[in-house]
Amino acid sequence: MLPSMAVVELSRWQFAFTALFHFLFVPITLGMTWLLVAMEACYLITGKIIYKDMTRFWGKLLAINFAIGVISGITMEFEFGLNWGYFSRMIGGSFGPVLAIEGITAFMLEATMFGLFFFSWDKLSRLAHFMVTFFMAFGASLSIVNILAANSWMQHPISTFFDYQNMTLQLNSIAALYMHHLAQIRIGHVAFAGLFLSSIFMMGISAYYILKKQDVEFAKRSFAIAVGFGFICSVMVAFFGDQNGLEVAQDEPEKMAAIEAQWKTEPAPAAWVVIAWPDQQTQKNYFSVNIPYALSLIATHSLTGTVEGIQPIIQKNKKRVVSGMKAYTSLEKMWAKTATKSDVAIYQKHLHDLGFVYLLLPYTNNIARATPTQIAAAAQSAIPNVAIAFWSFRIMIGLWFVLFILIVTGLFYSSRDTLEDHPFFLKLCVWSIPLPFICAEAGWVLAEVGRQPWLIHDIMPVFMGTSSLDTTSLITSLALFCLFYGVLFSVELFLMFKFARKGPSSLHN
Amino acid sequence: MFEYEFLKIAWWLIIGGVLMVYVATAGFDAGVTMYMPFLRNETDRRIVLNTSAPTWDGNLTWIVFAGGGLFVVWPVVYSTAFSGMYAALLLILFSLFLRPPGYEYRNKIDNATWRKTWDWALFISAVVPVFVFGVAFGNCFLGYPFYFEPHTFRQFWTGDFWDLLNPYALLSGVISVLMVLMHGSVYLQRRTENHLRKLALKVHVIAAILLLIGFTTSGLLLMYKIIGYKLISMATDPTLHPMDNVVKSGMGYWIQTYDHYPWKYMAPFVAYAGIIESLWAAAYEWVNTAFWASCFAVGGIVGTAGATLFPFLMPSSTHPNQSLMIWNASSSQYALNVMLYVGVVLLIIILGYKIFAYSTIWSKKPTLTAEDIEKNKHTFY
């Protein structure tokens, strides 16, 4: 017996809301800690007190951000059990270890060093304090390594087998999850995205001080460090993003097709749809603007490759649903202990399609004997929402491009020391602070919406993973999350603005 | 690879140990923040808060270790408890929300109302989670109303939040709060001087005596009033056939298991000895001894709860045969084995940098006074 679709929808909204909220704070922690390491390294080498002040001031902003990061992070760990109980039970032995290692290595180290960072300036030598800062940053980054290894397993579950006797997914090798090509690429992508975001955050606030002619020396140095970091990171984030695209085309063709709104497989060299209004019902793009050849170049780095279209993927899905039904029929016999050797053989042969049979659940309870219409509906439902995938990708890329130009300009002005002569550019920097956040959120929306309807790609649909809750509980909890997050976020922003405006003079030294 | 049985027991010990460390470290943070709204003087409040401020973040993360461990080692316990006791867990979560901003934001604005608000926030974030955790543990002895669907093993919970609030569980909640208050008071004696130390000693004595009474009462109730559970038999491979158990229930079964497993007596013995020793040492102002004794007391109390339940983790009151025990609720042998290597290595590393952190903060001067607050006006919380 599955929970109602309302429970599923509410659980999804809650996860999306809390996860996206969490990711407003993660990239700052991730990137800012390394910027602090860079500043403190300057202090360690030159001994100039201005670098120490810089480290302490930006550290203060980090602390305001970190408090809410901790809150929203603990929420995520609770939420797997609260709302996704069936999923958690099933994957505790496969996805669980990676998540646990995250808590034990990353969060523990980061949080312990975080306390020391603030309270040990006069208790430790300069080198020892630098090491504390370094390990704080290292801990924050380890977090990304583990979370992305876990999430990449959900996008493309490797090295895993299914045990029908107790309905669990188990690992063959945990190392494989970290060695996973997709995971490594995405770790790079998200880590550099965090640095990229923090660089722009720091650029924007420094630009504000230069505009205000307040602590100019301090602000110019901070700007220089931020823009230097930002340039390298903007290139790296794009490189890893591009590599990620190649992997997605291979492992999750339906996600790739949705990102590029390719309904049919176009012959190579295919044209890139720059903007369009994709319509899932009629399977057509309206108002589309195309660039010839570009899709093959972007998605396959060649003129001979192409992106598989959604319609042929649906046809393949139909076959996989039928194959999954065979596996399920045998599975029922195995549960009833009436399976013969040939039943077990059929089960083994079709096991890799077993997940597809569960896609029938919204259409019929008798999934082993579904009708062709039901099979067609299930096959169609295995395609993510094309419009969201298409547009979140374009928002991400578009904002990256705008910010890249901003960074290059900043690098130019900063290296010639003419920042003060370009107040309009400085204003742009200030106003750009929210952009990388939108960029990062769009990236996650793309990754997660693109995986729908799967919770674990090709194995478990999202609607199977929820806890057996009622809608009242979920509505209440969602409302309370909105309330608490709203209040805490307002307080956080209030303090952030207050201290950012005050500037380094708030250190009182 | 290690033997499966060995791994199951090893992980029971590790998770139990981590829980003890969590309660013994984050416990004193919670204990000291319980003082916040009741101190009259702002300097006193800041002294109390800053005795725990440098390390509280790191202490709180033990819950992530325990939670992550629970997720990997007993995924079914984690998912059933969290989704079943939905409202209770959300209550813990939402009150924990107040904690990080309570520490980080309280001193960011110099305004009496602002600070008072966060004082109460810190108080709530200390009392509520500790109390609810206690209530949840108390219910464990009574069994929870849950069962599993055949074949798919989807969990179903048939009780609601109000069922958790029965007298025995409420007593457990109170014990849990008293334990944390005692521990925080001992910590405060160790880290403060003069009138704050005296105040903490008074609270320590009262909390410890009430705790002794509550803890003993709870034991007597388990012996004479509470229906316990006993495992009669299970499948040969309980992880593959987790529901094929025979579990019986009866009056006083929990305490009867002490005769079956005599090592269980160790836990309550340590708890009593720790509480009494902490009182004795505090009377002579041996604050370090009192603190470590209190750590043992806290560990002993947590250990008593865990040991009494052994081998159960979550008995089911409606379907006792589907109860979750370390034998049938554990993850695969591979996951337990890999995580044992990872966990042991990391525990040693963690221990190393935790000792470094504590010694950095306290080795030069083991207490905080009004002068320290004045000197670090802008860096302290």
Side-chain angles (χ1 to χ4, degrees):
Chain A
M1 194 178 75
L2 279 178
S4 73
M5 275 299 163
V7 167
V8 176
E9 280 305 308
L10 284 164
S11 302
R12 289 175 67 187
W13 275 102
Q14 188 158 325
F15 198 89
F17 173 63
T18 51
L20 288 177
F21 185 77
H22 182 47
F23 208 71
L24 289 174
F25 306 96
V26 172
I28 288 212
T29 312
L30 185 71
M32 190 75 103
T33 44
W34 284 114
L35 285 161
L36 293 180
V37 170
M39 283 185 243
E40 206 173 336
C42 290
Y43 173 56
L44 188 67
I45 295 162
T46 65
K48 280 186 191 158
I49 205 79
I50 188 169
Y51 287 114
K52 186 182 173 188
D53 286 348
M54 278 164 67
T55 317
R56 293 184 64 174
F57 170 71
W58 294 107
K60 210 162 190 169
L61 295 190
L62 174 72
I64 297 171
N65 166 76
F66 190 71
I68 312 294
V70 170
I71 289 170
S72 52
I74 293 182
T75 302
M76 300 317 300
E77 179 161 353
F78 270 58
E79 204 169 340
F80 283 111
L82 286 168
N83 290 349
W84 302 94
Y86 191 61
F87 167 72
S88 302
R89 198 203 71 88
M90 196 168 179
I91 51 80
S94 42
F95 169 96
V98 187
L99 210 65
I101 290 173
E102 193 271 338
I104 304 171
T105 55
F107 191 32
M108 188 72 101
L109 181 62
E110 185 187 353
T112 308
M113 293 302 147
F114 181 80
L116 276 185
F117 174 82
F118 290 98
F119 284 87
S120 70
W121 281 106
D122 50 359
K123 291 192 169 109
L124 287 175
S125 70
R126 261 160 54 186
L127 179 66
H129 194 279
F130 171 76
M131 291 314 288
V132 165
T133 315
F134 173 80
F135 277 109
M136 177 171 77
F138 182 67
S141 298
L142 273 182
S143 176
I144 282 299
V145 171
N146 288 293
I147 295 297
L148 266 296
N151 185 269
S152 299
W153 176 82
M154 287 166 76
Q155 308 281 355
H156 187 57
I158 50 161
S159 188
T160 309
F161 65 94
F162 171 70
D163 191 331
Y164 75 94
Q165 291 175 96
N166 55 7
M167 285 297 267
T168 54
L169 284 171
Q170 293 176 13
L171 278 187
N172 289 319
S173 149
I174 190 169
L177 263 51
Y178 293 94
M179 295 305 173
H180 192 182
H181 202 202
L182 180 69
Q184 293 183 342
I185 288 167
R186 296 176 77 222
I187 290 164
H189 186 54
V190 176
F192 282 108
L195 279 157
F196 176 63
L197 179 145
S198 307
S199 307
I200 289 160
F201 180 77
M202 199 182 267
M203 268 169 70
I205 294 176
S206 305
Y208 176 80
Y209 300 140
I210 302 174
L211 274 172
K212 284 264 188 174
K213 309 227 180 308
Q214 159 194 356
D215 301 294
V216 175
E217 193 50 29
F218 175 98
K220 274 179 12 192
R221 270 172 215 249
S222 296
F223 193 99
I225 289 182
V227 86
F229 251 85
F231 179 71
I232 299 167
C233 298
S234 58
V235 174
M236 293 309 282
V237 79
F239 168 74
F240 280 110
D242 175 55
Q243 294 293 313
N244 193 0
L246 298 183
E247 286 290 313
V248 167
Q250 229 173 57
D251 299 336
E252 298 168 276
E254 74 279 7
K255 186 192 265 182
M256 193 62 188
I259 290 171
E260 302 297 2
Q262 297 292 306
W263 301 102
K264 297 189 184 94
T265 310
E266 301 292 339
W272 188 45
V273 186
V274 187
I275 47 169
W277 186 255
D279 184 20
Q280 199 125 357
Q281 287 294 318
T282 56
Q283 303 195 341
K284 266 190 195 134
N285 293 332
Y286 296 102
F287 317 111
S288 62
V289 178
N290 297 354
I291 300 180
Y293 295 5
L295 179 60
S296 294
L297 283 175
I298 294 170
T300 66
H301 289 196
S302 74
L303 282 174
T304 48
T306 185
V307 170
E308 194 175 10
I310 287 169
Q311 281 156 8
I313 292 173
I314 293 177
Q315 292 310 318
K316 275 190 194 164
N317 287 346
K318 270 186 201 161
K319 283 186 197 136
R320 294 194 74 176
V321 175
V322 173
S323 154
M325 284 162 68
K326 286 182 191 148
Y328 190 78
T329 315
S330 304
L331 180 60
E332 277 184 324
K333 285 182 197 154
M334 284 153 78
W335 275 337
K337 299 206 166 43
T338 57
T340 59
K341 260 199 181 137
S342 69
D343 287 325
V344 178
I346 291 172
Y347 171 76
Q348 297 290 1
K349 193 179 157 207
H350 296 281
L351 180 58
H352 64 285
D353 291 327
L354 183 64
F356 279 80
V357 78
Y358 291 111
L359 289 174
L360 287 162
L361 276 171
Y363 308 101
T364 169
N365 280 324
N366 195 354
I367 53 176
R369 276 158 287 276
T371 63
T373 8
Q374 288 162 344
I375 292 171
Q380 187 125 9
S381 75
I383 300 295
N385 186 317
V386 177
I388 296 179
F390 181 85
W391 278 107
S392 54
F393 178 69
R394 272 146 193 82
I395 290 170
M396 178 178 80
I397 296 274
L399 287 177
W400 172 83
F401 187 68
V402 170
L403 293 168
F404 181 68
I405 291 173
L406 191 82
I407 286 177
V408 172
T409 321
L411 199 61
F412 183 73
Y413 291 150
S414 183
S415 61
R416 301 193 155 201
D417 200 12
T418 56
L419 281 170
E420 286 134 300
D421 309 335
H422 298 91
F424 180 68
F425 169 74
L426 292 174
K427 271 183 200 153
L428 274 184
C429 286
V430 179
W431 287 107
S432 299
I433 293 176
L435 298 185
F437 289 90
I438 303 174
C439 204
E441 301 278 290
W444 271 112
V445 169
L446 170 61
E448 296 298 287
V449 169
R451 196 191 60 232
Q452 302 300 322
W454 299 109
L455 187 48
I456 308 162
H457 191 237
D458 287 359
I459 292 183
M460 185 193 211
V462 165
F463 52 77
M464 277 184 80
T466 55
S467 305
S468 317
L469 293 165
D470 54 73
T471 42
T472 331
S473 312
L474 276 160
I475 291 171
T476 319
S477 61
L478 184 56
L480 287 172
F481 270 116
C482 290
L483 176 75
F484 279 108
Y485 277 4
V487 172
L488 289 168
F489 193 43
S490 316
V491 175
E492 199 257 7
L493 281 181
F494 167 70
L495 287 175
M496 198 59 120
F497 273 105
K498 186 179 153 73
F499 278 88
R501 285 216 178 99
K502 253 191 187 171
S505 52
S506 67
L507 290 172
H508 298 280
N509 50 10
Chain B
M1 225 182 313
F2 287 107
E3 289 274 317
Y4 208 1
E5 303 269 288
F6 167 80
L7 287 167
K8 287 174 182 176
I9 294 170
W11 270 108
W12 182 74
L13 290 171
I14 293 175
I15 293 199
V18 169
L19 268 181
M20 289 178 196
V21 177
Y22 170 60
V23 181
T25 55
F28 64 66
D29 293 331
V32 299
T33 45
M34 284 180 196
Y35 280 74
M36 290 300 284
F38 306 108
L39 296 168
R40 292 210 189 94
N41 179 328
E42 171 63 17
T43 313
D44 286 353
R45 287 193 290 260
R46 287 193 71 183
I47 292 175
V48 167
L49 187 64
N50 279 291
T51 55
S52 71
T55 44
W56 84 273
D57 246 323
N59 292 342
L60 182 81
T61 36
W62 284 106
I63 197 183
V64 180
F65 196 144
L70 202 62
F71 195 171
V72 186
V73 178
W74 307 311
V76 55
V77 171
Y78 166 75
S79 57
T80 310
F82 275 54
S83 62
M85 290 185 271
Y86 195 72
L89 264 299
L90 279 177
L91 195 59
I92 292 175
L93 182 63
F94 289 142
S95 44
L96 278 180
F97 276 8
L98 299 170
R99 213 155 173 72
Y103 275 98
E104 313 281 356
Y105 296 172
R106 186 183 180 278
N107 196 42
K108 291 276 187 280
I109 291 175
D110 191 5
N111 171 297
T113 322
W114 172 267
R115 289 188 166 164
K116 203 159 186 76
T117 313
W118 290 117
D119 288 342
W120 279 103
L122 281 167
F123 175 76
I124 293 168
S125 72
V127 173
V128 175
V130 170
F131 182 73
V132 179
F133 270 130
V135 168
F137 256 102
N139 274 291
C140 224
F141 293 94
L142 310 173
Y144 298 109
F146 67 88
Y147 67 93
F148 296 90
E149 198 177 59
H151 302 316
T152 63
F153 295 97
R154 182 173 285 282
Q155 321 80 321
F156 288 92
W157 190 276
T158 49
D160 67 14
F161 175 66
W162 307 109
D163 297 338
L164 296 177
L165 304 178
N166 53 72
Y168 179 74
L170 291 175
L171 174 68
S172 306
V174 172
I175 291 174
S176 164
V177 172
L178 286 171
M179 168 180 84
V180 164
L181 184 61
M182 171 195 80
H183 195 47
S185 303
V186 179
Y187 179 77
L188 217 50
Q189 291 173 56
R190 190 183 182 206
R191 293 296 174 218
T192 59
E193 291 171 13
N194 306 327
H195 66 286
L196 277 174
R197 183 178 280 184
K198 281 192 193 116
L199 172 72
L201 176 63
K202 270 185 214 155
V203 180
H204 172 196
V205 172
I206 297 169
I209 291 171
L210 289 176
L211 179 61
L212 282 173
I213 297 170
F215 188 60
T216 313
T217 315
S218 161
L220 292 174
L221 283 173
L222 283 185
M223 209 179 289
Y224 299 113
K225 277 276 175 226
I226 305 276
I227 307 263
Y229 297 87
K230 198 187 275 175
L231 173 67
I232 306 297
S233 72
M234 56 184 173
T236 37
D237 193 343
T239 22
L240 281 186
H241 308 283
M243 279 151 39
D244 299 353
N245 312 297
V246 178
V247 172
K248 285 217 161 133
S249 58
M251 190 70 74
Y253 273 12
W254 288 129
I255 302 295
Q256 283 172 28
T257 60
Y258 276 67
D259 294 330
H260 196 247
Y261 303 106
W263 54 263
K264 288 187 177 186
Y265 281 108
M266 240 163 58
F269 173 76
V270 171
Y272 279 113
I275 298 171
I276 292 163
E277 161 96 25
S278 85
L279 282 172
W280 185 33
Y284 288 96
E285 262 194 86
W286 300 336
V287 284
N288 287 330
T289 317
F291 175 75
W292 289 109
S294 180
C295 285
F296 274 97
V298 165
I301 293 172
V302 175
T304 306
T308 309
L309 288 167
F310 182 89
F312 286 89
L313 297 165
M314 280 177 73
S316 166
S317 54
T318 53
H319 299 69
N321 290 346
Q322 301 188 8
S323 293
L324 301 175
M325 293 158 281
I326 69 165
W327 312 122
N328 66 353
S330 291
S331 258
S332 66
Q333 190 176 3
Y334 176 79
L336 295 190
N337 194 58
V338 163
M339 286 306 289
L340 187 68
Y341 295 140
V342 177
V344 167
V345 171
L346 286 174
L347 263 177
I348 293 167
I349 295 173
I350 289 169
L351 211 62
Y353 68 71
K354 288 274 177 189
I355 291 172
F356 167 73
Y358 278 100
S359 70
T360 304
I361 300 295
W362 298 111
S363 60
K364 277 193 188 139
K365 186 166 174 290
T367 56
L368 271 190
T369 55
E371 290 88 70
D372 296 308
I373 300 291
E374 188 51 38
K375 217 171 74 194
N376 299 294
K377 223 163 146 183
H378 299 292
T379 41
F380 272 16
Y381 286 162

